[in-house]
């Protein structure tokens, strides 16, 4: 049998949840609702952060980037998934699969770094309040965000190039609802120790190192919060930090469980539902968590709506 990758024009088959057809309609309905909420919620945060001058701070600059990232992440996966769930065919072109694979890796790795950057911002705000504007000056914020985006891009290029070189022996079935690395690696007809070591090393850099920095930051923040005597400031700190910590827990928990375990130790069904959580549910919950727990965002939304109503009347 030919061990080459074959023609680049060959379509792949995204099996998704085709082994459970009774669930496909339910999943498609839920995914569609989550996608609409993702679009509305994240777009609202981006617009409000841009339009409301009171939110022109480092925290909301990072939050806007996170919302933009979640929009791109969900859009790179969900539309194709809905087409496959609603249609008779489950195919995706080779080029479409490569792009989906690349953007999922790129945006996922960028989010890992961006969440760590946001933890540092919270540390500076709580533990160094008098020097906060000096520490988190606009140039530094821009450089930190740029580093996160470039870091995600670099890791995606490395993993994509290694994974796509693996011989597939004519295999076309991707046992997932999108082109994700574990499913593509399992399509290969050879075992690659290089990919396993590379993924583990990048996992340490993009998962374990950032989460360690986040935990250290929140350890120091916790000590600082315990010394705060003002109930109003104490409540505000808990709201902003609590929102970020909730997002971190949801995102990192599933990603680490998925990528830092040996690939053969995760069942296909378990992997699909884990992927469903961090690719679809997390981008939806992020804006809701920040909006519901953050009084500044809710106030900014109200102010923006009031301004729009007045301009419409005039």
């Amino acid at each position: 049998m030919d061990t080459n990758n074959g023609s680049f024009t060959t379509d792949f088959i995204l099996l998704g949840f085709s082994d459970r057809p009774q669930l496909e309609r339910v999943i498609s309905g839920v995914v569609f609702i989550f996608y609409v909420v993702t679009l509305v919620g994240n777009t609202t945060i981006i617009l409000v952060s841009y339009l409301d001058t009171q939110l022109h701070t480092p925290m909301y600059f990072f939050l806007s980037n996170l919302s933009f990232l979640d929009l791109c992440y969900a859009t790179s996966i969900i539309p194709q998934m809905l087409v496959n769930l609603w249609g008779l065919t489950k195919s995706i072109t080779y080029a479409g699969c490569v792009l989906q694979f690349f953007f999922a890796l790129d945006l996922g790795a960028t989010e890992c770094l961006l969440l760590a950057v946001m933890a540092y911002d919270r540390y500076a705000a709580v533990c160094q309040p008098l020097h906060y504007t000096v520490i988190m000056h606009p140039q530094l914020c821009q450089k930190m965000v740029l580093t996160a985006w470039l870091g995600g891009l670099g890791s995606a290029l490395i993993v994509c190039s290694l994974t796509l070189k693996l011989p597939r022996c004519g295999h076309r079935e991707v046992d997932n609802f999108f082109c994700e690395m574990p499913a593509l690696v399992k399509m290969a007809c050879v075992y690659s120790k290089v990919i396993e070591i590379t993924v583990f090393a990048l996992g340490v850099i993009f998962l374990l190192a950032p989460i360690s920095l986040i935990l250290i930051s929140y350890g120091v923040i916790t000590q600082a919060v315990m010394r705060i005597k003002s109930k109003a400031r104490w409540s505000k700190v808990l709201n902003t930090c609590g929102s970020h910590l909730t997002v971190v827990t949801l995102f990192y928990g599933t990603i680490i469980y998925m990528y830092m375990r040996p690939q053969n130790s995760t069942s296909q069904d378990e992997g699909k539902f884990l992927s469903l959580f961090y690719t679809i549910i997390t981008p939806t919950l992020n804006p809701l968590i920040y909006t519901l727990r953050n009084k500044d965002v809710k106030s900014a939304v109200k102010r923006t709506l009031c301004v729009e109503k007045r301009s419409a009347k005039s």
Side-chain angles (χ1 to χ4, degrees), residues 16-17 25 27 69 101 105 144 174 210 218 226 263 293:
F17 302 94
R25 289 189 177 182
I27 291 173
L69 190 151
F101 176 36
L105 277 175
M144 293 171 81
V174 181
Y218 276 104
M226 299 303 291
Q263 293 301 318
R293 292 183 60 91

Side-chain angles (χ1 to χ4, degrees), residues 208-266:
L208 298 186
I211 194 64
S212 299
L213 293 174
I214 290 170
L215 292 175
I216 292 170
S217 297
Y218 276 104
V220 179
I221 288 172
T222 302
Q223 292 179 341
V225 167
M226 299 303 291
R227 295 194 296 267
I228 294 176
K229 295 180 180 180
S230 170
K231 288 185 178 180
R233 185 164 179 265
W234 189 82
S235 177
K236 185 175 182 179
V237 168
L238 285 184
N239 280 333
T240 56
C241 292
S243 299
H244 178 254
L245 199 55
T246 303
V247 170
V248 166
T249 303
L250 291 172
F251 181 75
Y252 274 98
T254 50
I255 288 283
I256 289 175
Y257 186 78
M258 183 73 173
Y259 280 89
M260 295 305 290
R261 299 175 66 193
Q263 293 301 318
N264 55 6
S265 66
T266 304

Side-chain angles (χ1 to χ4, degrees), residues 100-114:
Q100 197 176 68
F101 176 36
F102 174 79
F103 282 116
L105 277 175
D106 179 16
L107 298 170
T110 301
E111 183 159 351
C112 291
L113 297 179
L114 188 57

Side-chain angles (χ1 to χ4, degrees), residues 111-124:
E111 183 159 351
C112 291
L113 297 179
L114 188 57
L115 289 173
V117 168
M118 294 174 75
Y120 177 74
D121 172 68
R122 290 300 81 209
Y123 157 77

Side-chain angles (χ1 to χ4, degrees), residues 1 5 16 22 37 48-49 53 62 73 81 140 152 183 185-186 280 301 306:
M1 182 179 290
N5 284 340
Q22 69 278 8
V37 175
V48 168
S49 299
T53 55
F62 296 136
Y73 193 51
M81 179 184 181
L140 177 63
V185 169
K186 288 179 181 178
I280 295 167
V301 171
C306 288

Side-chain angles (χ1 to χ4, degrees), residues 59-173:
M59 175 182 172
Y60 295 102
F61 172 68
F62 296 136
L63 181 56
S64 297
N65 273 271
L66 179 64
S67 293
F68 177 70
L69 190 151
D70 282 338
L71 277 176
C72 296
Y73 193 51
T75 303
S76 69
I77 295 169
I78 296 178
Q80 179 68 50
M81 179 184 181
L82 290 174
V83 168
N84 288 350
L85 285 171
W86 291 336
L88 297 176
T89 61
K90 311 291 183 183
S91 63
I92 183 173
T93 63
Y94 178 84
C97 186
V98 171
L99 287 175
Q100 197 176 68
F101 176 36
F102 174 79
F103 282 116
L105 277 175
D106 179 16
L107 298 170
T110 301
E111 183 159 351
C112 291
L113 297 179
L114 188 57
L115 289 173
V117 168
M118 294 174 75
Y120 177 74
D121 172 68
R122 290 300 81 209
Y123 157 77
V126 176
C127 301
Q128 304 288 335
L130 299 179
H131 304 286
Y132 177 66
T133 55
V134 176
I135 296 172
M136 301 301 295
H137 55 86
Q139 291 79 10
L140 177 63
C141 294
Q142 292 167 8
K143 288 178 181 178
M144 293 171 81
V145 167
L146 181 61
T147 300
W149 283 97
L150 291 178
L153 177 64
S155 67
L157 288 172
I158 293 171
V159 176
C160 279
S161 61
L162 290 175
T163 304
L164 295 174
K165 287 179 181 178
L166 291 175
R168 295 188 300 273
C169 299
H171 297 160
R172 298 172 54 220
E173 295 183 343

